Amino acid sequence: MTRKRSPSGGAVAGPVPDPDTVPQLLLRWYDRHARSLPWRAPPGSAPADPYAVWLSEIMLQQTTVTAVIPYFRTFLQRWPDVAALAAADRDEVLAAWAGLGYYSRARNLHLCAQQVAGLHGGRFPVDEAGLLALPGIGPYTAAAIAAIAFDRPAVVVDGNVERVVARLFAESDLLPAVKPRLRQRAAELTPQRRPGDFAQAMMDLGATVCTPRSPDCLLCPLSGQCGARAAGIAAELPRRAAKAAKPQRHGIAFWLRRPSDGAVLLERRPPKGLLGGMLGLPGTPWEDRRPWPLAEALAWQPAAADWVLLPGGIRHVFTHFALDLSVALADLPADEATLASAPPTGSLWLSPGRETWEQLPTVMRKAARFAHAADTAPASRR
DNA sequence: TACCCGTGGCG
DNA sequence: TCGCCAAGGGT
């Protein structure tokens, strides 16, 4: 047992993780406990298909394994290789991504497939620099693909690795300032042999044992090497800078029904920014100040009509704000023949139902379900 | 650099 | 009910 001094000055008792022992213990644990995942090759075997590795890594950015699995299966079945995905219609890719969030990932996924198919002959670059140059692939993903698909000793650092390393070395400085030091620590631990399995083992450990809230140190193969465990502060690391409070925003969405067939008007959102490129209900901007009076919201109505504001609404929390969204209902007036038959570019009429909801981002699914339920409610509704 | 960008599960 | 946060990237 050695003793060291933390950067903040406090004495920290405990072992110093050994850069040879840690990978050894971790890979032994991984050989027995690796999770079976649709995109993963078994421990010690030949690397998985780079296309599947790439697709899974993009989907897994800031997203849980549970959420990703059904989307991964759907994509792989529908577009089995990078050439198929490159040839796909962009809006169909976006529709298939709907519900998974962070929609710029889907736009970049399609772009990246087209670059790999067109510029690289359908093969992914095997080195980090080449991967990093592709859209949607940043430092983490480039390292992960290089290690997992191409067996390169890249240093793979995601949130799991940061947490595991912060605990192993009892790093008590705040994220994100301490990131460079954590990366250096991770580099010291990354082995030349089985780097892909090592990376996946670190992430599995972080996801199943060395968890954020209540790490299960009794099951951890590295507990004997862990500085935070020795100091009794594992659950408190890594420490993070405080986050800003989320503003509350308000908006009104318009549910415009075409009387001839019950279809509803939807709009293609602008290509960048929030929910970029996705379908949604037309509506007001989402503003901080207060709920919208219907009279003011009418400036954004898709057509002049006899709008009825529904009581209540839906609530949705985005990364950096919370939204209260109300819904106004109307039938398209009979004199709007042009809008009924030929909506402007970016607008379209779709029939209410599951096939339509599935193309929408979650906030719009909530609004559409809410509006549709009110619209088809029994006559007790006034 | 700091901010923007979704969603769902969990304690 | 609510805050936390996850296999981050782009700008």
Side-chain angles (χ1 to χ4, degrees):
Chain A
M1 187 90 92
T2 59
R3 192 169 266 282
K4 66 171 185 166
R5 191 157 291 275
S6 77
S8 51
V12 175
V16 175
D18 179 71
D20 295 321
T21 310
V22 166
Q24 204 175 330
L25 291 171
L26 188 64
L27 286 168
R28 191 176 307 165
W29 173 83
Y30 186 68
D31 286 337
R32 286 180 291 126
H33 297 286
R35 290 185 290 176
S36 176
L37 300 172
W39 48 83
R40 174 178 282 182
S45 64
D49 174 17
Y51 173 70
V53 173
W54 163 71
L55 179 61
S56 70
E57 289 298 342
I58 301 300
M59 289 183 167
L60 286 163
Q61 289 168 2
Q62 297 288 287
T63 308
T64 58
V65 166
T66 306
V68 163
I69 286 176
Y71 285 86
F72 176 82
R73 293 193 192 284
T74 298
F75 269 69
L76 202 64
Q77 178 165 22
R78 187 162 172 190
W79 299 295
D81 53 48
V82 71
L85 185 56
D89 180 80
R90 192 190 102 120
D91 289 345
E92 291 189 13
V93 175
L94 287 179
W97 195 277
L100 199 55
Y102 284 134
Y103 297 97
S104 67
R105 291 185 297 173
R107 304 194 299 269
N108 284 329
L109 183 85
H110 192 224
L111 264 179
C112 183
Q114 292 181 328
Q115 290 191 14
V116 171
L119 273 43
H120 298 276
R123 296 182 180 277
F124 282 86
V126 300
D127 63 308
E128 277 186 84
L131 290 162
L132 197 51
L134 292 166
I137 297 182
Y140 160 75
T141 306
I145 296 172
I148 297 170
F150 299 117
D151 208 31
R152 303 287 175 112
V155 180
V156 180
V157 183
D158 72 333
N160 287 307
V161 175
E162 285 182 348
R163 183 170 59 254
V164 171
V165 169
R167 288 172 177 171
L168 278 174
F169 292 90
E171 290 285 3
S172 56
D173 289 1
L174 298 183
L175 281 174
V178 77
K179 272 176 181 282
R181 188 182 305 157
L182 295 178
R183 189 180 197 290
Q184 180 55 40
R185 300 295 203 188
E188 293 164 10
L189 297 178
T190 300
Q192 294 295 310
R193 293 157 62 94
R194 302 181 64 187
D197 281 349
F198 175 78
Q200 295 180 92
M202 288 286 275
M203 295 189 282
D204 268 21
L205 189 74
T208 64
V209 176
C210 195
T211 54
R213 301 292 181 80
S214 53
D216 200 345
C217 299
L218 294 180
L219 289 183
C220 181
L222 305 182
S223 60
Q225 299 274 312
C226 184
R229 163 70 169 160
I233 57 172
E236 301 166 25
L237 300 183
R239 298 168 65 181
R240 293 177 189 277
K243 296 179 179 176
K246 285 183 184 182
Q248 178 69 52
R249 296 184 183 173
H250 305 271
I252 293 183
F254 295 107
W255 181 262
L256 184 62
R257 203 174 43 174
R258 184 167 62 184
S260 60
D261 62 351
V264 172
L265 189 70
L266 297 176
E267 286 182 354
R268 180 77 56 187
R269 296 174 61 86
K272 292 185 177 179
L274 187 70
L275 310 178
M278 302 297 290
L279 289 178
L281 295 176
T284 68
W286 298 339
E287 294 187 348
D288 284 346
R289 45 193 186 122
R290 69 183 200 283
W292 288 76
L294 181 57
E296 286 183 29
L298 293 184
W300 283 268
Q301 64 184 343
D306 186 14
W307 295 103
V308 174
L309 189 61
L310 292 175
I314 63 108
R315 172 163 297 187
H316 190 77
V317 180
F318 292 95
T319 308
H320 53 295
F321 67 93
L323 175 67
D324 279 326
L325 189 63
S326 300
V327 179
L329 299 185
D331 284 327
L332 183 69
D335 58 359
E336 291 275 11
T338 303
L339 180 56
S341 59
T345 304
S347 295
L348 65 168
W349 295 97
L350 289 178
S351 301
R354 194 172 56 232
E355 297 76 16
T356 294
W357 303 166
E358 283 175 350
Q359 303 176 47
L360 304 181
T362 298
V363 62
M364 293 299 174
R365 287 184 193 176
K366 288 183 185 177
R369 281 209 309 263
F370 175 75
H372 189 53
D375 205 12
T376 58
S380 61
R381 175 176 63 89
R382 196 183 326 274

